[in-house]
């Protein structure tokens, strides 16, 4: 993974884990790269990340798609959709520190909530698009 992608993922972890409303909803702001065995519900995981290089001769820009997954064993979908709403609100216009890079734009591109019968869990997907411009 490229440096801007790692920096963005780290900044998202910090933004989500530092939010008191999300901490209350998740019972400890549990956002994992990969969920450990027997993890408590609800929790979140980072999913697929794609990086597209926009480098030109004078600029080093990149576009990233990052997916966050929300998992809930609640009988109703409300817990999942409430957490999704909190994450969307937290990351919308967030001032994310990206080390030597800066966030130029972060936007929710796609959201979906459904019941996964195989896992007996509600599953929410949030896909964000970020354009990272090299800081000067």
């Amino acid at each position: 993974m490229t440096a801007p992608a790692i920096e963005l993922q780290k900044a998202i972890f910090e933004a989500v884990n530092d939010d008191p409303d999300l901490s209350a909803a998740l019972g400890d702001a549990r956002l994992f790269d990969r969920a450990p065995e027997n993890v408590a519900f609800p929790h979140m995981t980072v999913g697929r990340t794609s990086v597209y290089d926009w480098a030109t001769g004078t600029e080093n820009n990149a576009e990233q798609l990052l997916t966050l997954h929300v998992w809930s064993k609640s009988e109703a979908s409300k817990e999942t959709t409430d957490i999704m709403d909190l994450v969307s609100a937290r990351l919308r216009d967030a001032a994310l520190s990206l080390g030597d890079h800066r966030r130029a734009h972060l936007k929710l591109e796609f959201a979906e909530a459904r019941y996964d019968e195989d896992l007996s869990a509600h599953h929410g997907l949030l896909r964000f698009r970020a354009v990272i411009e090299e800081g000067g």
Side-chain angles (χ1 to χ4, degrees):
M1 200 176 323
T2 66
I6 292 168
E7 292 168 1
L8 178 64
Q9 186 170 328
K10 180 181 173 187
I12 287 174
F13 268 82
E14 289 172 2
V16 168
N17 289 332
D18 289 345
D19 186 278
D21 293 331
L22 274 167
S23 291
L26 289 168
D28 246 346
R30 293 182 294 262
L31 171 60
F32 301 102
D33 214 6
R34 182 175 173 199
E37 266 188 57
N38 302 319
V39 67
F41 287 85
H43 65 271
M44 293 174 47
T45 56
V46 175
R48 182 179 178 168
T49 300
S50 303
V51 179
Y52 304 95
D53 187 1
W54 286 8
T56 65
T58 58
E59 296 178 333
N60 242 349
N61 299 336
E63 177 184 66
Q64 297 177 51
L65 296 176
L66 176 101
T67 305
L68 299 178
H69 297 269
V70 177
W71 302 96
S72 169
K73 289 279 191 174
S74 175
E75 291 191 22
S77 63
K78 184 174 180 358
E79 182 175 63
T80 301
T81 56
D82 286 352
I83 292 169
M84 291 171 68
D85 289 344
L86 288 168
V87 171
S88 293
R90 176 65 174 115
L91 296 179
R92 185 181 313 117
D93 301 323
L96 300 177
S97 173
L98 301 180
D100 292 338
H101 296 79
R102 63 182 170 85
R103 174 187 66 87
H105 184 72
L106 183 62
K107 179 182 175 189
L108 179 66
E109 289 284 308
F110 174 81
E112 176 183 76
R114 63 184 176 83
Y115 186 74
D116 186 323
E117 291 188 22
D118 292 337
L119 299 174
S120 298
H122 288 277
H123 180 196
L125 290 151
L126 295 162
R127 186 167 303 125
F128 290 90
R129 178 181 306 274
V131 175
I132 307 300
E133 296 176 350
E134 189 172 290

